[in-house]
């Protein structure tokens, strides 16, 4: 069900999180959105920050926008991306350092490394009772954001199974992580259905663990099969929503967390076995490794493929020509009507600054226009590239007028 991208060829977007304005210095700290919005300072800053991040993306020329994940707290290396639901659902208590014996084997890093500081600095609640849904306010968050633009807002949220990596069980009500993951999938499904009922038609589920686990255990391992079933339960009933599945190889403070980053063992899972309409892949930071895997599917792709054409891990502001070159590589294996162009992951998560994020975003939009011209397709207006709208101009020189709708 393509709702956001139905009539778009080579649409441009970014993954989700975006750097905050420096003056947006408040956090929700586990409180309900309604409680936070009673604070007039939070209310003004939050609404203004959403207006800014949406305006920046429109000025960048993106076709599909995000809310920047501005509802999650600004904390160490983006912990709140996982933590936002865990702070609000029933069944959790406290904040504790996860012991090494229950930490996922691929998340052990030696002292003296940034990832060690991050994973030992993060704290997680214990599971102390049955996990049950409580509102996450996604419908209201989407309404606040969507009211500020006529372009579609893609609303993203952390997948339940990746949250489970950091949780320890301290109650006899759960015998193993499978029960935990299933209950969280059902809780998230209730929130996603409420988001759909509010009118959101573009929802992104972020970081199911199939690609991690398939590389570690094999694509047909029982744990992998269970995770696929849990994911499909999480998105059950969203048939009238354009459902995006975001995958990358880590983004705590812009860091890759895995050494083996191949999608070879998980491509069939994402394309055939899990529900969804768009699959997003980290590509730019991996030099487009695995693109050739799409060759057998080129003429029978059921999902659209969103490639990362700029990296969230480098501070070099890509040029539009760089993005166009990445798109040309992808078009050898993915038809243009099935290709979306994005960033590898989000620019927030204690990542790069706003200016670099903006110019990476507008390079995505301009790079798409370069390829659209080559294919004889209509282009998207990019305000940031309009010569008549530049902030500073050389005295005595007039910029050539640019018709609205061209770059």
């Amino acid at each position: 069900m393509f709702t956001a991208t139905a009539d778009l060829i080579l649409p441009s977007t970014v993954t989700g999180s975006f750097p905050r304005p420096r003056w947006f210095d408040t956090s929700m700290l586990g409180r309900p959105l309604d409680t936070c919005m009673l604070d007039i300072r939070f209310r003004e800053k939050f609404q203004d920050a959403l207006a800014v991040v949406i305006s920046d993306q429109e000025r960048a020329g993106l076709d599909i926008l995000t809310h920047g994940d501005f509802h999650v707290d600004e904390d160490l290396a983006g912990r709140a991306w996982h933590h936002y639901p865990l702070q609000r659902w029933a069944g959790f208590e406290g904040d504790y350092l996860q012991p090494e014996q229950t930490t996922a084997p691929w998340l052990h890093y030696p002292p003296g490394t940034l990832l060690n500081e991050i994973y030992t600095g993060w704290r997680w609640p214990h599971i102390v009772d049955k996990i049950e849904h409580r509102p996450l306010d996604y419908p209201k968050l989407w309404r606040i954001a969507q009211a500020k633009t006529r372009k579609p807002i893609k609303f993203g949220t952390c997948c339940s199974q990746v949250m489970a990596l950091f949780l320890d069980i301290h109650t006899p009500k759960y015998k193993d992580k499978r029960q935990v993951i299933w209950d969280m999938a059902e809780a998230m499904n209730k929130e996603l259905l409420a988001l759909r009922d509010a009118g959101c038609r573009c929802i992104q589920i972020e970081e199911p663990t199939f690609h991690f686990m398939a590389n570690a255990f094999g694509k047909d391992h029982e744990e992998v099969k269970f995770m696929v079933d849990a994911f499909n339960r999480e998105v059950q009933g969203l048939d009238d929503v354009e459902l995006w599945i975001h995958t990358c190889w880590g983004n705590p403070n812009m860091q890759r967390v895995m050494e083996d980053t191949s999608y070879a063992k998980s491509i069939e899972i994402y394309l055939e076995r899990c529900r969804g309409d768009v699959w997003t892949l980290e590509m730019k930071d991996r030099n487009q490794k695995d693109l050739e895997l799409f060759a057998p599917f080129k003429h029978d792709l059921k999902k659209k493929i969103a490639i990362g054409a700029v990296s969230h891990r480098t501070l070099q502001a890509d040029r539009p020509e760089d993005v166009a070159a990445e798109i040309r590589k992808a078009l050898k294996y993915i038809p243009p009507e099935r290709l979306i162009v994005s960033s590898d992951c989000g620019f927030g998560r204690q990542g790069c600054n706003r200016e670099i994020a903006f110019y990476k975003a507008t390079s995505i939009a301009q790079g798409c226009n370069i390829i659209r011209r080559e294919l004889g397709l209509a282009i998207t207006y990019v305000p940031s590239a309009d010569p008549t709208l530049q902030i500073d101009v050389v005295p005595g020189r007039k910029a050539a007028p640019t018709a609205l709708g061209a770059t």
Side-chain angles (χ1 to χ4, degrees), residues 267 271-272 290-305 327-339 375:
I267 184 170
L271 290 182
E272 304 289 342
D290 293 333
L291 259 180
E292 66 282 358
L293 297 175
F294 288 96
F297 302 93
K298 184 173 183 179
H299 302 294
D300 189 32
L301 267 175
K302 298 178 178 64
K303 291 182 173 69
K304 293 188 178 184
I305 305 301
I327 299 172
R328 292 189 193 100
K329 295 175 189 175
L331 287 175
K332 295 177 182 178
Y333 304 99
I334 303 168
E337 65 272 12
R338 280 289 185 263
L339 186 61
L375 297 176

Side-chain angles (χ1 to χ4, degrees), residues 11-261:
S12 59
T13 188
V14 291
T15 295
S17 64
F18 222 77
R20 290 182 171 206
R22 291 173 181 169
W23 44 262
F24 182 37
D25 55 4
T26 58
S27 291
M28 295 177 69
L29 301 175
R31 298 172 296 167
L33 178 61
D34 286 349
T35 301
C36 296
M37 293 291 277
L38 289 173
D39 180 340
I40 59 173
R41 291 170 181 81
F42 178 92
R43 189 183 188 97
E44 180 176 326
K45 287 183 177 181
F46 183 61
Q47 296 230 61
D48 287 354
L50 283 174
V52 165
V53 73
I54 290 169
S55 174
D56 278 356
Q57 291 174 78
E58 289 191 318
R59 186 165 60 93
L62 297 178
D63 298 302
I64 300 168
L65 315 182
T66 81
H67 57 298
D69 285 2
F70 280 4
H71 63 291
V72 299
D73 295 346
E74 190 172 34
D75 59 6
L76 175 64
R79 181 197 69 151
W81 173 63
H82 312 78
H83 214 60
Y84 183 89
L86 302 179
Q87 286 177 306
R88 289 162 173 81
W89 287 339
F92 300 102
E93 182 271 326
D95 274 321
Y96 304 92
L97 176 62
Q98 189 178 24
E100 286 192 15
Q101 57 266 32
T102 62
T103 300
W106 52 76
L107 299 180
H108 289 273
Y109 303 94
T113 62
L114 177 54
L115 285 171
N116 174 267
E117 179 173 343
I118 290 170
Y119 285 119
T120 57
W122 280 354
R123 297 294 185 272
W124 302 101
H126 285 163
I127 303 169
V128 297
D129 204 343
K130 183 172 173 59
I131 298 167
E132 294 180 337
H133 172 263
R134 287 175 180 167
L136 303 180
D137 297 312
Y138 285 176
K140 187 169 183 174
L141 290 165
W142 173 79
R143 288 196 300 270
I144 295 172
Q146 188 64 72
K148 297 175 177 14
T149 180
R150 297 182 68 181
K151 291 187 175 183
I153 292 289
K154 171 164 58 79
F155 194 100
T157 183
C158 183
C159 184
S160 294
Q161 55 191 252
V162 77
M163 289 188 282
L165 291 175
F166 304 97
L167 300 175
D168 290 320
I169 299 171
H170 291 260
T171 173
K173 294 186 178 181
Y174 290 104
K175 296 179 181 178
D176 57 37
K177 282 285 185 74
R178 284 192 176 195
Q179 294 173 313
V180 169
I181 291 167
W182 196 265
D183 281 356
M184 288 201 297
E186 291 189 331
M188 184 62 79
N189 180 251
K190 290 181 180 178
E191 192 70 22
L192 297 177
L193 291 174
L195 177 61
R196 186 275 313 272
D197 291 344
C200 181
R201 288 298 180 269
C202 189
I203 297 175
Q204 179 170 276
I205 311 300
E206 295 162 357
E207 218 60 44
T209 58
F210 314 139
H211 48 311
F212 299 149
M213 298 186 69
N215 285 358
F217 307 124
K219 67 182 182 68
D220 295 318
H221 192 277
E222 285 303 312
E223 288 298 319
V224 176
K225 292 179 179 179
F226 169 76
M227 289 298 192
V228 173
D229 290 340
F231 177 86
N232 287 337
R233 176 64 186 91
E234 188 163 335
V235 300
Q236 185 175 316
L238 298 176
D239 300 328
D240 55 347
V241 169
E242 183 167 299
L243 187 64
W244 292 43
I245 308 165
H246 168 67
T247 63
C248 78
W249 299 97
N251 189 7
N253 202 345
M254 304 166 62
Q255 302 303 299
R256 182 192 295 170
V257 303
M258 305 287 287
E259 292 297 324
D260 182 358
T261 64

Side-chain angles (χ1 to χ4, degrees), residues 297-365:
F297 302 93
K298 184 173 183 179
H299 302 294
D300 189 32
L301 267 175
K302 298 178 178 64
K303 291 182 173 69
K304 293 188 178 184
I305 305 301
I307 62 158
V310 304
S311 173
H312 59 293
R313 299 197 184 99
T314 65
L315 297 180
Q316 179 68 34
D318 310 73
R319 301 174 305 160
E321 294 82 3
D322 300 328
V323 173
E326 300 299 317
I327 299 172
R328 292 189 193 100
K329 295 175 189 175
L331 287 175
K332 295 177 182 178
Y333 304 99
I334 303 168
E337 65 272 12
R338 280 289 185 263
L339 186 61
I340 298 170
V341 187
S342 184
S343 55
D344 277 345
C345 195
F347 296 124
R349 314 272 183 265
Q350 200 181 338
C352 65
N353 64 43
R354 281 181 65 198
E355 189 171 39
I356 291 172
F358 173 81
Y359 280 102
K360 282 178 175 284
T362 193
S363 287
I364 294 173

